[in-house]
Amino acid sequence: DILKKAVAAGADDGLIVATDTLPNLDAAGRSLIMSALLKQRFSDAQLVLFGQLSLDEMAAETGLRVATLMGWPGLSRCKEVSI
């Protein structure tokens, strides 16, 4: 449902990564998986957004870890972004 809203708002594509089968995965492990998926599926991405609430104990670190692994700048806990 959230991906449909994002695409309706102008996103080109989206991906939900479910790690239910890996319950002991921490933010570092999730970040490795997500960065590998991004490199494989969205290698030409110019902007990647992560939700505010995540399974990283709400520490808001998964998105920043992915940005670091991808060699991208990252923002955390921002309310508004203008491009």
Side-chain angles (χ1 to χ4, degrees):
D1 197 39
I2 192 70
L3 286 181
K4 289 178 185 178
K5 289 180 182 178
V7 171
D12 294 328
D13 203 349
L15 178 68
I16 292 178
V17 179
T19 57
D20 298 350
T21 58
L22 304 167
N24 296 325
L25 208 57
D26 61 3
R30 285 188 296 274
S31 300
L32 286 170
I33 290 170
M34 288 184 200
S35 62
L37 286 169
L38 282 169
K39 288 176 185 175
Q40 187 178 73
R41 187 160 170 202
F42 301 104
S43 61
D44 60 344
Q46 295 178 331
L47 177 66
V48 177
L49 301 174
F50 287 81
Q52 178 181 359
L53 299 176
S54 64
L55 298 177
D56 66 1
E57 295 73 45
M58 297 194 358
E61 66 179 271
T62 301
L64 293 176
R65 285 177 177 264
V66 170
T68 299
L69 290 167
M70 298 294 288
W72 296 341
L75 287 173
S76 178
R77 300 178 192 254
C78 58
K79 291 185 178 187
E80 184 177 326
V81 176
S82 269
I83 300 175

